[in-house]
Amino acid sequence: MGIKAFFKKAFGDMKESAKAQHEVDKANFAATKAESKAQWEEAKAMGAPEKRKAMMQAERDEQIAEANERKAAAEARIHAMSDKK
């Protein structure tokens, strides 16, 4: 392989790499933009009392559901241990 072919291949590889990196950068930018918009919408919703109350109630409901799942798992473990006696 001559020096000309070497450089032609090297620059071709760099061009492909630059294109691929550009696609990655575009995807990261789009994701960051979407996250920023979501944060803005959440902050804006916190200003409306009814939306804020609904969001907080949904969060509390989720926490209650998680606590109930943990309680059920603990009761199952207790029941399993009492059966072994």
Side-chain angles (χ1 to χ4, degrees):
M1 169 169 25
I3 199 89
K4 185 175 181 181
F6 172 79
F7 280 112
K8 187 173 184 176
K9 184 177 182 311
F11 283 112
D13 289 346
M14 285 191 290
K15 183 178 178 181
E16 288 177 23
S17 178
K19 282 183 181 179
Q21 185 61 46
H22 180 68
E23 291 299 317
V24 170
D25 291 344
K26 281 179 22 180
N28 283 333
F29 179 75
T32 302
K33 186 176 175 183
E35 289 170 346
S36 177
K37 183 169 176 74
Q39 288 175 345
W40 168 252
E41 292 298 328
E42 288 172 348
K44 195 166 68 170
M46 292 303 263
E50 62 278 351
K51 286 186 179 181
R52 184 172 56 81
K53 285 180 186 177
M55 286 175 57
M56 292 181 77
Q57 185 61 44
E59 187 176 320
R60 285 191 296 264
D61 291 342
E62 182 180 330
Q63 289 174 348
I64 290 170
E66 288 174 5
N68 288 336
E69 289 175 12
R70 290 191 346 250
K71 180 182 172 192
E75 289 173 349
R77 288 179 18 216
I78 291 169
H79 182 69
M81 294 309 288
S82 65
D83 288 344
K84 289 185 180 181
K85 289 183 180 179

